[in-house]
Amino acid sequence: METLAGVTRMRLVGGNLALDFINTRAGPPVGPPDDDVLTGYPELVAWGAYAGALSEPEAEALRRLSLDDPGGAHAAFTRSLRIRDDLDEVFRTVAAGQSPSTSVLARLRDDEADALGHARLDRGSTFRWTWQDDQTLARPLRPVVHAAVQLLTTGALDRIKGCGGCRFLFNDESKNRSRRWCSMDDCGTSEKIRRYVAARRTRATG
Ligand SMILES: [Zn+2]
């Protein structure tokens, strides 16, 4: 399997495919992002496989398709960045306890309608949407858009939160809804260190 190492730089901590898609950009909690793993169509496909949105054979088929149609691949990539901006706006607004604009929600509706227009209903323990028949270059975006709509329509909105230490968003699935960090190993630990250093400084000067 071809691996684009950069894509795995972002840990999958969102608890939802759409939130993990937003988390392909990293940086401080406010202000512009300072890192982005989505740098082209091959990275979009690699991220889809990494995040579980695509099987490896599907990713391979998309790689071949993109080589045959570079213009179409570029258009799908440009669209993926627009969708990521839209999802970022929607979920960051919801995390702040506010309502997204009607225009961004209308675009999300159109993207969901397009995603379902390429989907198939498959029977498992329940029926679910799959995109196994979809052989278009926008294939990686379909489950991302659908996961976003699922979370907005069936999730608990007060569980959608922003990390206290970085710009990552996550769905807080903890029992008492007390999760504050994208990951304890990363932002949680740096916060603990910061508090420890501050407390020691207070003791030293006090
Ligand atoms: Zn964080």
Side-chain angles (χ1 to χ4, degrees):
M1 168 188 160
E2 182 194 353
T3 48
L4 296 165
V7 166
T8 58
R9 205 160 65 235
M10 303 303 179
R11 285 164 296 105
L12 302 171
V13 293
N16 173 278
L17 190 61
L19 298 181
D20 281 327
F21 190 60
I22 294 168
N23 295 344
T24 51
R25 276 191 295 204
V30 287
D34 56 21
D35 194 6
D36 186 351
V37 299
L38 288 193
T39 49
Y41 191 79
E43 285 75 17
L44 174 67
V45 170
W47 179 84
Y50 168 58
L54 301 170
S55 68
E56 192 45 42
E58 285 174 320
E60 190 49 47
L62 286 170
R63 284 183 199 112
R64 280 195 305 269
L65 196 61
S66 69
L67 294 178
D68 292 343
D69 182 6
H74 182 72
F77 174 64
T78 305
R79 186 174 171 208
S80 77
L81 298 184
R82 194 271 298 157
I83 287 178
R84 186 177 60 174
D85 280 342
D86 282 352
L87 296 180
D88 195 297
E89 183 184 332
V90 166
F91 285 100
R92 219 165 282 283
T93 306
V94 168
Q98 292 159 358
S99 292
S101 68
T102 49
S103 56
V104 75
L105 291 175
R107 286 199 297 277
L108 182 55
R109 183 237 9 238
D110 291 346
D111 289 326
E112 171 75 338
D114 187 37
L116 294 184
H118 289 83
R120 189 175 84 189
L121 268 175
D122 272 349
R123 185 170 187 156
S125 55
T126 61
F127 283 90
R128 61 192 183 98
W129 298 110
T130 71
W131 284 270
Q132 286 166 32
D133 295 342
D134 182 15
Q135 279 154 25
T136 64
L137 287 158
R139 164 72 182 81
L141 300 168
R142 316 291 190 201
V144 170
V145 165
H146 187 60
V149 172
Q150 281 281 101
L151 186 56
L152 288 173
T153 54
T154 66
L157 298 184
D158 60 348
R159 288 185 182 272
I160 298 166
K161 297 180 183 178
C163 175
C166 76
R167 78 188 309 282
F168 275 16
L169 298 178
F170 57 85
N171 189 29
D172 179 3
E173 284 160 326
S174 68
K175 215 178 206 172
N176 52 4
R177 306 184 182 214
S178 60
R179 183 173 163 196
R180 293 171 58 203
W181 315 109
C182 62
S183 126
M184 251 349 264
D185 293 343
D186 199 335
C187 289
T189 303
S190 33
E191 171 67 8
K192 267 196 280 184
I193 292 169
R194 196 190 61 75
R195 275 199 230 147
Y196 172 75
V197 170
R200 208 171 48 175
R201 195 174 299 136
T202 307
R203 275 201 303 277
T205 56

